[in-house]
Amino acid sequence: AAPTYAAAFSTRSLASMVYAMVPALLMNLYITGLNQVTDVEIDKINKPDLPIAAGDLSVKTAIVTILVALFASLGMGFAHPMFGTQGLNVALWMSGILGTLYSLEPFRLKRFPFFAAFCIVAVRGAVINAGFFAMQDRHGIAGDCHFERSKLLASKNGS
């Protein structure tokens, strides 16, 4: 949350958001692509319209694509002296690690409901939000996130 509307749409804030968004989307491409590469036979039955399952994309091309996306994502996290913050890097690395553990043997955590749910909730619910907040906070864009006890109690009581 930015302190003001003007701060939220300042050049610096928008540049920071775009710089976080591009490597995040590349990491998402890696994670979802890896999942598709490891599930081709299952996807032929359950999701036959996906590119690999449909035969529109070869497994070899998919592997090259996801590896390029992975290295580009992590590289962008380190490359920029201002926007390549620790928060962004933690979000990218943790997302990549959990996404890999989710799909690849010998772990393939997606086989176990608790661990599958943990991976998804951890990345989407905690890692990404905390990492991107830390990135914005590093630039003074995140705003004032101190909560007043009276406001918390008021919302809890329905006031």
Side-chain angles (χ1 to χ4, degrees):
T4 65
Y5 182 78
F9 293 99
S10 69
T11 303
R12 188 170 110 188
S13 179
L14 291 173
S16 179
M17 285 187 266
V18 169
Y19 195 83
M21 199 178 326
V22 172
L25 290 172
L26 287 167
M27 184 57 70
N28 190 60
L29 174 63
Y30 164 73
I31 293 167
T32 57
L34 180 63
N35 190 44
Q36 287 186 40
V37 166
T38 60
D39 282 350
V40 176
E41 295 307 314
I42 294 169
D43 288 344
K44 284 181 181 178
I45 297 166
N46 294 330
K47 299 176 183 177
D49 295 332
L50 291 177
I52 300 171
D56 297 332
L57 181 66
S58 73
V59 172
K60 181 180 177 181
T61 302
I63 290 171
V64 169
T65 302
I66 64 174
L67 288 175
V68 167
L70 172 66
F71 292 120
S73 173
L74 296 175
M76 284 186 75
F78 286 109
H80 198 283
M82 182 174 151
F83 297 128
T85 65
Q86 183 178 8
L88 176 62
N89 282 302
V90 168
L92 295 173
W93 278 93
M94 289 301 298
S95 297
I97 290 167
L98 288 173
T100 301
L101 293 174
Y102 179 85
S103 292
L104 281 185
E105 297 288 351
F107 305 102
R108 199 160 164 84
L109 296 178
K110 68 191 301 177
R111 295 177 294 172
F112 311 103
F114 174 80
F115 292 115
F118 172 79
C119 287
I120 294 166
V121 170
V123 169
R124 293 183 181 173
V127 171
I128 291 173
N129 289 306
F132 288 2
F133 175 81
M135 180 182 175
Q136 297 296 350
D137 189 49
R138 161 82 165 64
H139 299 296
I141 302 169
D144 184 12
C145 289
H146 299 287
F147 297 103
E148 294 179 30
R149 182 175 167 81
S150 62
K151 288 183 180 176
L152 288 175
L153 292 174
S155 65
K156 183 179 175 183
N157 295 329
S159 305

